[in-house]
């Protein structure tokens, strides 16, 4: 595929990498108890590509010739597998549908430009032909932003930026780097690291997502407490529109009217194709460590996170799991041997004697970066706050393990699909004063949805990012749909997913903190930003793209599309 690495068409990540539960003796009993799925039962592997009927390409000869003239014959691809890879993202609904061969509309062609001039030529050709263009980065989107509208009759072009994958320059005095939008996270960090720099942005999808995708969906990373979200990191950019290029210089701050930079951030391809960006970069820190802590309750952990956010401490990661997620995390551990296992048992025995209910305990990870003095100072400040709220330190061992495995979690979803389980995520943000209500309300809403569809479900949560005024809560839910029929599975899934999203609205939270809007979250847009705010959004998108040629169907609710 043009030398561009893609994820497997039927699931997350790379071929040959999969989740394995057999070295985790507590996991199968935990899953059987919480959702009634037997992990030891024979599963149903994904189908072979040859079993999937991919609709024929509708690419006409005239547009094909123009595209080939723009990027070269070898970079205009109509093969089935390439088009299939570019049909869906990696949301739960995406995976269920692609495994079932449910392909109402597939891109007619995948085009791989090498530079901005080629992007401009492709965009102009697509608009001139009244076709549809969908930008594609790493394909990791989980909110429906990549899926072509089922009823779209026009030719659909998927524009894959994977060849545009270089760090172009570093302004060392300013701490800025100019980077092409198609670069994957690891490749960008390798190039920056070779010069002694880092951007510090590490979302869960880091290995399989791109800079342009992060900008287009307003991504956050695990270390955003220190480095900021992608909206903070992105200082300037270039975006191709029909017949023109938006050029935003990397200024530290500006008062140039409503921010065009902010308009393009989160625009999901509807305001043009992002080709490159100027981003904040930092010298690779002298020290980096993650410490694990344990709190006696969710309330204690949340209170500690709030106090850390308002203190003088400057950690790079602040994360705490609720009791359900903590129990799940403990169940995924490999069997402890020798002195390590004895120490763990002794610690838990001591906590029980102190009156802890270990079923309510909450695991936390807090990260520190910088010089030795700064790390030491931050650890001391955080340590006092943790102690004040009844928490204890578990040391660097669990934190190091978390740091090593933090990008592997999405593989569990594929494994659960194979054995008859449905699992997905929803995340939100709210002020500190509302977070406990958001958590309890969402857990209740999910449980009511499980009861409505007659399944034994499970929902867990963690706080993933902290801010001055609030934080992000990240929920994961799972249940056995009790059927292998894709439509029936998705009907039950949407009952739960919609209940979770509606709970966010009912509790004054947002529809998404960092996964974007896409089609999955669009129905709640007016609840989030108001009807008047939606009017502004409609006017903006209509004004920039009156022909609806740029990724139509995303962001706006179906009732507001034109």
């Amino acid at each position: 595929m043009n030398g561009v690495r893609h994820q497997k068409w039927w699931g997350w990540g790379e071929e040959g990498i999969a989740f394995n539960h057999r070295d985790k003796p507590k996991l199968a009993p935990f899953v059987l108890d919480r959702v009634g799925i037997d992990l030891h039962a024979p599963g149903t592997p994904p189908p072979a590509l040859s079993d999937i009927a991919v609709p024929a390409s509708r690419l006409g000869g005239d547009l094909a010739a123009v595209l080939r003239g723009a990027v070269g014959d070898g970079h205009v691809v109509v093969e089935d597998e390439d088009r299939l890879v570019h049909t869906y993202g990696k949301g739960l609904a995406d995976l269920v549908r692609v495994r079932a061969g449910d392909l109402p509309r597939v891109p007619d062609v995948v085009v791989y430009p090498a530079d901005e001039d080629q992007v401009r030529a492709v965009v102009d050709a697509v608009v001139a032909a009244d076709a549809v263009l969908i930008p594609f980065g790493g394909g990791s989107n989980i909110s429906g932003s990549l899926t072509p509208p089922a009823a779209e009759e026009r030719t659909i072009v998927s524009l894959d930026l994977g060849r545009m994958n270089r760090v172009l320059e570093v302004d060392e005095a300013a701490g800025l780097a100019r980077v092409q939008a198609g670069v994957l996270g690891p490749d960008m960090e390798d190039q920056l690291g070779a010069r002694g720099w880092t951007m510090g942005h590490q979302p869960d999808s880091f290995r399989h997502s791109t800079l342009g995708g992060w900008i287009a969906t307003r991504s956050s990373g695990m270390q955003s407490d220190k480095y900021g979200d992608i909206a903070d990191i992105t200082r300037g950019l270039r975006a191709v529109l029909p017949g023109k290029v938006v050029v935003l210089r990397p200024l530290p701050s500006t008062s140039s009217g409503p921010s065009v930079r902010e308009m393009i951030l989160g625009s999901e391809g509807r305001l043009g194709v992002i080709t490159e960006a100027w981003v904040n970069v930092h010298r690779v820190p002298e020290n980096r460590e993650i410490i694990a802590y344990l709190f006696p309750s969710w309330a204690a952990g949340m209170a500690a996170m709030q106090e850390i956010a308002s203190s003088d401490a400057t950690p790079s990661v602040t994360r705490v799991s609720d009791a359900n997620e903590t129990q799940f995390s403990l169940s995924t551990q490999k069997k402890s041997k020798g002195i390590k296992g004895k120490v763990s048992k002794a610690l838990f025995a001591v906590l029980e004697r102190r009156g802890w209910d270990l079923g309510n305990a909450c695991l936390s990870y807090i990260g520190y970066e910088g010089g030795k003095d700064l790390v030491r100072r931050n650890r001391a400040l955080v340590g006092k706050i943790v102690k004040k709220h009844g928490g204890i330190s578990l040391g660097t061992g669990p934190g190091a393990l978390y740091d090593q495995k933090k990008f592997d979690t999405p593989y569990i979803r594929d494994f659960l699909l194979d054995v008859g389980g449905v699992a997905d995520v929803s995340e939100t943000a709210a002020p500190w004063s509302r977070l406990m209500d958001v958590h309890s309300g969402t857990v209740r809403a999910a449980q009511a949805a499980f009861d409505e569809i007659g399944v034994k479900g499970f929902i867990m949560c963690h706080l993933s990012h902290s801010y001055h005024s609030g934080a992000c809560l990240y929920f994961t839910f799972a249940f056995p749909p009790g059927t292998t029929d894709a439509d029936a599975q998705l009907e039950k899934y949407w009952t739960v997913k919609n209940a979770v999203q509606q709970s966010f609205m009912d509790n004054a939270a947002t529809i998404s903190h960092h996964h974007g809007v896409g089609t999955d979250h669009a129905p709640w847009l007016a609840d989030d930003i108001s009807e008047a705010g939606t009017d502004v959004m409609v006017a903006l998108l209509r004004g920039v793209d009156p022909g609806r040629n740029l990724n139509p169907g995303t962001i706006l609710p179906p009732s507001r599309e034109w």
Side-chain angles (χ1 to χ4, degrees), residues 1 32 46 53 75-76 94 122 125 186 197 229 244 248 266 275 277 290 317 356 373 389-390 452 458 461 520 533 555:
M1 296 183 185
L32 186 63
H75 304 301
V76 177
D94 298 328
V122 171
W197 296 89
D229 299 329
K244 64 190 79 172
L248 303 176
T275 56
I290 294 183
V317 177
W356 280 47
D373 290 342
H389 292 279
E452 178 184 343
F458 181 71
C461 176
D520 291 2
I555 300 180

mmCIF file of all heavy atoms in Angstrom, residues 1 32 46 53 75-76 94 122 125 186 197 229 244 248 266 275 277 290 317 356 373 389-390 452 458 461 520 533 555:
data_model
loop_
_atom_site.group_PDB
_atom_site.id
_atom_site.type_symbol
_atom_site.label_atom_id
_atom_site.label_comp_id
_atom_site.label_asym_id
_atom_site.label_seq_id
_atom_site.Cartn_x
_atom_site.Cartn_y
_atom_site.Cartn_z
ATOM 1 N N MET A 1 0.838 -1.203 0.000
ATOM 2 C CA MET A 1 0.000 0.000 0.000
ATOM 3 C C MET A 1 0.874 1.254 0.000
ATOM 4 O O MET A 1 0.873 2.040 0.937
ATOM 5 C CB MET A 1 -0.932 0.006 1.207
ATOM 6 C CG MET A 1 -1.944 -1.125 1.238
ATOM 7 S SD MET A 1 -3.054 -0.985 2.651
ATOM 8 C CE MET A 1 -3.991 -2.500 2.480
ATOM 9 N N LEU A 32 -15.959 -13.661 33.716
ATOM 10 C CA LEU A 32 -17.106 -14.562 33.860
ATOM 11 C C LEU A 32 -18.051 -14.058 34.940
ATOM 12 O O LEU A 32 -19.278 -14.089 34.779
ATOM 13 C CB LEU A 32 -16.617 -15.976 34.199
ATOM 14 C CG LEU A 32 -17.692 -17.067 34.234
ATOM 15 C CD1 LEU A 32 -18.342 -17.242 32.859
ATOM 16 C CD2 LEU A 32 -17.085 -18.399 34.699
ATOM 17 N N PRO A 46 -12.159 -13.334 13.228
ATOM 18 C CA PRO A 46 -12.674 -12.477 12.151
ATOM 19 C C PRO A 46 -12.635 -13.209 10.821
ATOM 20 O O PRO A 46 -11.857 -14.156 10.634
ATOM 21 C CB PRO A 46 -11.716 -11.287 12.171
ATOM 22 C CG PRO A 46 -10.483 -11.780 12.836
ATOM 23 C CD PRO A 46 -10.932 -12.800 13.833
ATOM 24 N N ALA A 53 -17.341 -9.158 0.519
ATOM 25 C CA ALA A 53 -17.681 -8.654 -0.815
ATOM 26 C C ALA A 53 -17.587 -7.135 -0.817
ATOM 27 O O ALA A 53 -18.469 -6.442 -0.307
ATOM 28 C CB ALA A 53 -19.080 -9.103 -1.200
ATOM 29 N N HIS A 75 0.106 5.858 -7.123
ATOM 30 C CA HIS A 75 -0.433 6.387 -5.868
ATOM 31 C C HIS A 75 -1.931 6.676 -5.962
ATOM 32 O O HIS A 75 -2.475 7.377 -5.109
ATOM 33 C CB HIS A 75 0.339 7.640 -5.476
ATOM 34 C CG HIS A 75 1.816 7.401 -5.362
ATOM 35 N ND1 HIS A 75 2.358 6.483 -4.492
ATOM 36 C CD2 HIS A 75 2.859 7.934 -6.066
ATOM 37 C CE1 HIS A 75 3.682 6.470 -4.633
ATOM 38 N NE2 HIS A 75 4.011 7.329 -5.571
ATOM 39 N N VAL A 76 -2.563 6.118 -6.963
ATOM 40 C CA VAL A 76 -4.017 6.129 -7.107
ATOM 41 C C VAL A 76 -4.469 4.678 -7.083
ATOM 42 O O VAL A 76 -4.217 3.934 -8.032
ATOM 43 C CB VAL A 76 -4.454 6.830 -8.411
ATOM 44 C CG1 VAL A 76 -5.971 6.768 -8.571
ATOM 45 C CG2 VAL A 76 -3.972 8.271 -8.430
ATOM 46 N N ASP A 94 -17.841 0.296 13.989
ATOM 47 C CA ASP A 94 -17.038 0.075 12.786
ATOM 48 C C ASP A 94 -16.590 -1.376 12.684
ATOM 49 O O ASP A 94 -16.690 -2.006 11.617
ATOM 50 C CB ASP A 94 -15.799 0.974 12.802
ATOM 51 C CG ASP A 94 -16.120 2.452 12.797
ATOM 52 O OD1 ASP A 94 -17.146 2.825 12.213
ATOM 53 O OD2 ASP A 94 -15.338 3.225 13.376
ATOM 54 N N VAL A 122 -5.308 17.466 -5.873
ATOM 55 C CA VAL A 122 -6.360 16.486 -5.619
ATOM 56 C C VAL A 122 -7.632 17.172 -5.132
ATOM 57 O O VAL A 122 -8.743 16.872 -5.597
ATOM 58 C CB VAL A 122 -5.882 15.437 -4.586
ATOM 59 C CG1 VAL A 122 -7.048 14.534 -4.156
ATOM 60 C CG2 VAL A 122 -4.753 14.587 -5.166
ATOM 61 N N ALA A 125 -9.319 18.879 -7.970
ATOM 62 C CA ALA A 125 -9.906 17.918 -8.903
ATOM 63 C C ALA A 125 -11.196 17.338 -8.348
ATOM 64 O O ALA A 125 -12.184 17.165 -9.084
ATOM 65 C CB ALA A 125 -8.907 16.803 -9.197
ATOM 66 N N PRO A 186 4.876 7.496 16.664
ATOM 67 C CA PRO A 186 6.230 6.994 16.925
ATOM 68 C C PRO A 186 7.270 7.536 15.943
ATOM 69 O O PRO A 186 8.403 7.823 16.341
ATOM 70 C CB PRO A 186 6.069 5.477 16.781
ATOM 71 C CG PRO A 186 4.627 5.213 17.045
ATOM 72 C CD PRO A 186 3.898 6.394 16.483
ATOM 73 N N TRP A 197 14.600 16.417 21.029
ATOM 74 C CA TRP A 197 13.336 17.075 21.319
ATOM 75 C C TRP A 197 12.197 16.060 21.442
ATOM 76 O O TRP A 197 12.302 14.936 20.964
ATOM 77 C CB TRP A 197 12.989 18.082 20.213
ATOM 78 C CG TRP A 197 13.955 19.216 20.112
ATOM 79 C CD1 TRP A 197 15.102 19.255 19.355
ATOM 80 C CD2 TRP A 197 13.883 20.464 20.805
ATOM 81 N NE1 TRP A 197 15.743 20.454 19.528
ATOM 82 C CE2 TRP A 197 15.015 21.221 20.401
ATOM 83 C CE3 TRP A 197 12.985 21.034 21.690
ATOM 84 C CZ2 TRP A 197 15.270 22.513 20.874
ATOM 85 C CZ3 TRP A 197 13.221 22.320 22.168
ATOM 86 C CH2 TRP A 197 14.354 23.040 21.763
ATOM 87 N N ASP A 229 -3.147 19.848 25.639
ATOM 88 C CA ASP A 229 -3.840 19.124 24.583
ATOM 89 C C ASP A 229 -3.295 19.579 23.234
ATOM 90 O O ASP A 229 -2.543 20.560 23.148
ATOM 91 C CB ASP A 229 -5.345 19.385 24.656
ATOM 92 C CG ASP A 229 -5.944 18.927 25.984
ATOM 93 O OD1 ASP A 229 -5.428 17.949 26.549
ATOM 94 O OD2 ASP A 229 -6.916 19.554 26.436
ATOM 95 N N LYS A 244 -7.211 27.396 -2.679
ATOM 96 C CA LYS A 244 -6.456 28.274 -1.770
ATOM 97 C C LYS A 244 -5.878 27.457 -0.627
ATOM 98 O O LYS A 244 -6.245 26.296 -0.417
ATOM 99 C CB LYS A 244 -7.360 29.371 -1.218
ATOM 100 C CG LYS A 244 -8.494 28.864 -0.367
ATOM 101 C CD LYS A 244 -9.516 29.952 -0.020
ATOM 102 C CE LYS A 244 -10.441 30.217 -1.166
ATOM 103 N NZ LYS A 244 -11.572 31.127 -0.805
ATOM 104 N N LEU A 248 -1.427 29.734 8.713
ATOM 105 C CA LEU A 248 -1.421 30.330 10.045
ATOM 106 C C LEU A 248 -0.025 30.207 10.625
ATOM 107 O O LEU A 248 0.482 29.103 10.835
ATOM 108 C CB LEU A 248 -2.448 29.634 10.947
ATOM 109 C CG LEU A 248 -3.892 29.649 10.432
ATOM 110 C CD1 LEU A 248 -4.795 28.850 11.359
ATOM 111 C CD2 LEU A 248 -4.402 31.080 10.296
ATOM 112 N N GLY A 266 -10.255 20.424 15.342
ATOM 113 C CA GLY A 266 -11.510 19.712 15.559
ATOM 114 C C GLY A 266 -12.454 19.712 14.373
ATOM 115 O O GLY A 266 -13.594 19.260 14.492
ATOM 116 N N THR A 275 -2.141 19.966 6.083
ATOM 117 C CA THR A 275 -0.959 19.369 5.454
ATOM 118 C C THR A 275 0.276 19.408 6.346
ATOM 119 O O THR A 275 1.154 18.547 6.234
ATOM 120 C CB THR A 275 -0.631 20.080 4.131
ATOM 121 O OG1 THR A 275 -0.461 21.485 4.392
ATOM 122 C CG2 THR A 275 -1.741 19.859 3.118
ATOM 123 N N ALA A 277 1.898 21.337 10.343
ATOM 124 C CA ALA A 277 1.642 22.198 11.497
ATOM 125 C C ALA A 277 2.946 22.550 12.183
ATOM 126 O O ALA A 277 3.914 21.781 12.162
ATOM 127 C CB ALA A 277 0.702 21.492 12.483
ATOM 128 N N ILE A 290 6.800 7.210 36.554
ATOM 129 C CA ILE A 290 5.388 7.157 36.914
ATOM 130 C C ILE A 290 5.261 6.349 38.197
ATOM 131 O O ILE A 290 5.784 5.233 38.293
ATOM 132 C CB ILE A 290 4.545 6.549 35.789
ATOM 133 C CG1 ILE A 290 4.561 7.479 34.573
ATOM 134 C CG2 ILE A 290 3.102 6.316 36.257
ATOM 135 C CD1 ILE A 290 3.708 7.018 33.416
ATOM 136 N N VAL A 317 1.353 13.432 34.378
ATOM 137 C CA VAL A 317 0.211 12.522 34.274
ATOM 138 C C VAL A 317 -0.541 12.561 35.601
ATOM 139 O O VAL A 317 0.079 12.484 36.662
ATOM 140 C CB VAL A 317 0.658 11.070 33.988
ATOM 141 C CG1 VAL A 317 -0.543 10.124 33.963
ATOM 142 C CG2 VAL A 317 1.447 10.981 32.687
ATOM 143 N N TRP A 356 -9.464 -0.897 55.433
ATOM 144 C CA TRP A 356 -9.760 -0.661 54.019
ATOM 145 C C TRP A 356 -10.699 -1.745 53.499
ATOM 146 O O TRP A 356 -10.547 -2.931 53.818
ATOM 147 C CB TRP A 356 -8.474 -0.718 53.190
ATOM 148 C CG TRP A 356 -7.644 0.520 53.217
ATOM 149 C CD1 TRP A 356 -7.275 1.247 54.318
ATOM 150 C CD2 TRP A 356 -7.041 1.156 52.096
ATOM 151 N NE1 TRP A 356 -6.475 2.291 53.958
ATOM 152 C CE2 TRP A 356 -6.310 2.272 52.590
ATOM 153 C CE3 TRP A 356 -7.022 0.913 50.735
ATOM 154 C CZ2 TRP A 356 -5.594 3.124 51.766
ATOM 155 C CZ3 TRP A 356 -6.305 1.755 49.905
ATOM 156 C CH2 TRP A 356 -5.602 2.861 50.406
ATOM 157 N N ASP A 373 15.836 17.660 40.823
ATOM 158 C CA ASP A 373 15.265 18.504 41.869
ATOM 159 C C ASP A 373 13.773 18.729 41.643
ATOM 160 O O ASP A 373 12.970 18.696 42.589
ATOM 161 C CB ASP A 373 15.984 19.850 41.925
ATOM 162 C CG ASP A 373 17.405 19.722 42.445
ATOM 163 O OD1 ASP A 373 17.707 18.686 43.074
ATOM 164 O OD2 ASP A 373 18.207 20.658 42.221
ATOM 165 N N HIS A 389 -5.330 12.460 51.809
ATOM 166 C CA HIS A 389 -6.597 11.858 51.381
ATOM 167 C C HIS A 389 -6.618 10.340 51.585
ATOM 168 O O HIS A 389 -7.438 9.638 50.970
ATOM 169 C CB HIS A 389 -6.868 12.219 49.927
ATOM 170 C CG HIS A 389 -7.162 13.689 49.744
ATOM 171 N ND1 HIS A 389 -8.394 14.242 49.995
ATOM 172 C CD2 HIS A 389 -6.350 14.727 49.384
ATOM 173 C CE1 HIS A 389 -8.350 15.541 49.774
ATOM 174 N NE2 HIS A 389 -7.120 15.872 49.400
ATOM 175 N N GLY A 390 -5.723 9.862 52.427
ATOM 176 C CA GLY A 390 -5.750 8.466 52.819
ATOM 177 C C GLY A 390 -5.079 7.502 51.880
ATOM 178 O O GLY A 390 -5.194 6.284 52.050
ATOM 179 N N GLU A 452 -32.388 -2.783 30.418
ATOM 180 C CA GLU A 452 -33.367 -2.630 29.341
ATOM 181 C C GLU A 452 -33.165 -3.666 28.239
ATOM 182 O O GLU A 452 -34.139 -4.214 27.699
ATOM 183 C CB GLU A 452 -33.277 -1.225 28.756
ATOM 184 C CG GLU A 452 -34.218 -0.973 27.595
ATOM 185 C CD GLU A 452 -34.040 0.409 26.983
ATOM 186 O OE1 GLU A 452 -33.424 1.286 27.644
ATOM 187 O OE2 GLU A 452 -34.511 0.623 25.846
ATOM 188 N N PHE A 458 -21.111 -4.259 32.379
ATOM 189 C CA PHE A 458 -20.065 -3.762 33.275
ATOM 190 C C PHE A 458 -19.608 -2.410 32.762
ATOM 191 O O PHE A 458 -19.410 -2.221 31.553
ATOM 192 C CB PHE A 458 -18.888 -4.751 33.288
ATOM 193 C CG PHE A 458 -17.752 -4.373 34.189
ATOM 194 C CD1 PHE A 458 -17.869 -4.439 35.559
ATOM 195 C CD2 PHE A 458 -16.534 -3.962 33.653
ATOM 196 C CE1 PHE A 458 -16.807 -4.113 36.401
ATOM 197 C CE2 PHE A 458 -15.460 -3.632 34.477
ATOM 198 C CZ PHE A 458 -15.601 -3.712 35.856
ATOM 199 N N CYS A 461 -14.456 3.385 34.946
ATOM 200 C CA CYS A 461 -14.107 4.764 34.610
ATOM 201 C C CYS A 461 -12.761 5.135 35.208
ATOM 202 O O CYS A 461 -12.356 4.590 36.241
ATOM 203 C CB CYS A 461 -15.196 5.700 35.152
ATOM 204 S SG CYS A 461 -14.876 7.468 34.936
ATOM 205 N N ASP A 520 -21.158 9.765 15.570
ATOM 206 C CA ASP A 520 -21.648 9.118 16.788
ATOM 207 C C ASP A 520 -22.131 10.130 17.820
ATOM 208 O O ASP A 520 -23.110 9.891 18.537
ATOM 209 C CB ASP A 520 -20.545 8.253 17.413
ATOM 210 C CG ASP A 520 -20.213 7.042 16.570
ATOM 211 O OD1 ASP A 520 -20.802 6.895 15.484
ATOM 212 O OD2 ASP A 520 -19.352 6.247 16.992
ATOM 213 N N GLY A 533 -25.184 28.134 18.905
ATOM 214 C CA GLY A 533 -23.835 27.698 18.575
ATOM 215 C C GLY A 533 -23.824 26.779 17.370
ATOM 216 O O GLY A 533 -22.925 26.848 16.517
ATOM 217 N N ILE A 555 -19.864 15.822 12.233
ATOM 218 C CA ILE A 555 -19.998 16.952 13.162
ATOM 219 C C ILE A 555 -21.451 17.421 13.318
ATOM 220 O O ILE A 555 -21.978 17.458 14.426
ATOM 221 C CB ILE A 555 -19.105 18.146 12.795
ATOM 222 C CG1 ILE A 555 -17.621 17.732 12.799
ATOM 223 C CG2 ILE A 555 -19.326 19.298 13.750
ATOM 224 C CD1 ILE A 555 -16.651 18.850 12.434
#
